[in-house]
Amino acid sequence: MEENRKQRKKYIADFSLVKAGKKPKKKRMKRIEIYLLIVASAIVLGYAFIAFMFQTVKVVGPSMQGTLRDGDVIVISKIGKMFGIDRNDVVAIKQPENDYYSIKRVVAKPGDTVQIIGGKLYVNEKLQEKFADKIIINSGIASELIKLDQNQYFVLGDNVNSSDDSRFKNMDIVQKTDIKGIAIYRLSPEKGRIR
């Protein structure tokens, strides 16, 4: 009787389609296809992430000294501007006539008024604290009251007396389309958030 049981177990094991330890070739090929699809998707998503969401930019010149230095490498968020650009955001500006990015601070946004009186910056007739301890030597076009239209921004460098910014015709009032992203992080020489 015991011998009959052993034979039955043997026959049950013999009815299996796949021997233990071996997988059919079709299943193996399907797994390889899935792995290749995952790797290809990761490469495409990684490229899209870098190309459309973030970018590194090198700071050129002393205009943002105090916050950023000449030669600093920063990360800008391209999608950040889709959620809105606010006062005090540090932005990367790329105007068509320039082959470099200008890094400046937004001091006024659409609908705001801007004026520099007695070397002090006023936005909507209020003294701006960020620049309150500085005397702005050259008011440029901001010596007269300026009202910003839709999609216009007024930008200054933090090192305001060594900055080519919205006060001057070289940069002028910045259009939203010229703002390529909001600076969010410094990569080198020191790492840290940009405020």
Side-chain angles (χ1 to χ4, degrees):
M1 190 153 160
E2 239 180 87
E3 201 172 300
N4 284 342
R5 282 186 195 167
K6 286 182 183 178
Q7 283 182 338
R8 266 192 252 154
K9 284 184 183 179
K10 184 179 177 185
Y11 290 125
I12 292 172
D14 287 341
F15 288 116
S16 66
L17 296 174
V18 179
K19 295 202 177 197
K22 292 189 178 181
K23 294 184 180 179
K25 287 186 179 184
K26 284 184 180 181
K27 281 189 177 183
R28 193 175 312 146
M29 288 304 292
K30 190 71 172 170
R31 275 198 175 160
I32 290 171
E33 288 173 4
I34 290 171
Y35 289 139
L36 289 174
L37 182 64
I38 290 170
V39 169
S41 297
I43 290 169
V44 168
L45 288 173
Y47 175 76
F49 184 76
I50 291 169
F52 301 111
M53 296 181 184
F54 298 97
Q55 180 178 345
T56 58
V57 174
K58 188 173 185 177
V59 177
V60 178
S63 70
M64 287 299 291
Q65 207 149 10
T67 303
L68 299 168
R69 293 184 304 261
D70 183 34
D72 282 359
V73 177
I74 62 172
V75 175
I76 63 169
S77 169
K78 294 179 181 181
I79 60 170
K81 82 174 207 174
M82 293 178 1
F83 298 108
I85 300 167
D86 291 322
R87 275 184 223 99
N88 289 320
D89 282 347
V90 176
V91 295
I93 303 158
K94 179 101 168 59
Q95 293 177 312
E97 62 274 7
N98 296 332
D99 60 348
Y100 59 89
Y101 287 87
S102 296
I103 311 299
K104 306 291 178 197
R105 185 174 301 279
V106 173
V107 295
K109 56 189 195 172
D112 288 347
T113 60
V114 180
Q115 190 170 16
I116 298 172
I117 303 169
K120 299 293 181 185
L121 174 67
Y122 292 86
V123 175
N124 299 325
E125 299 177 6
K126 293 179 185 168
L127 179 65
Q128 294 304 293
E129 296 299 320
K130 182 78 178 166
F131 294 91
D133 62 335
K134 300 173 183 172
I135 302 289
I136 301 172
I137 296 169
N138 189 345
S139 302
I141 63 171
S143 60
E144 302 291 324
L145 186 69
I146 299 169
K147 175 134 173 76
L148 298 176
D149 292 332
Q150 187 176 5
N151 295 320
Q152 290 185 329
Y153 294 85
F154 197 90
V155 298
L156 292 176
D158 286 358
N159 186 7
V160 73
N161 291 313
S162 293
S163 178
D164 192 12
D165 45 43
S166 288
R167 296 171 293 159
F168 307 110
K169 290 291 178 191
N170 294 10
M171 179 165 285
D172 210 6
I173 294 169
V174 176
Q175 301 299 315
K176 186 174 186 176
T177 54
D178 292 336
I179 297 176
K180 300 306 177 193
I182 298 172
I184 56 172
Y185 196 78
R186 179 184 313 138
L187 288 177
S188 71
E190 303 161 2
K191 295 182 179 182
R193 288 190 58 201
I194 298 171
R195 298 180 198 275

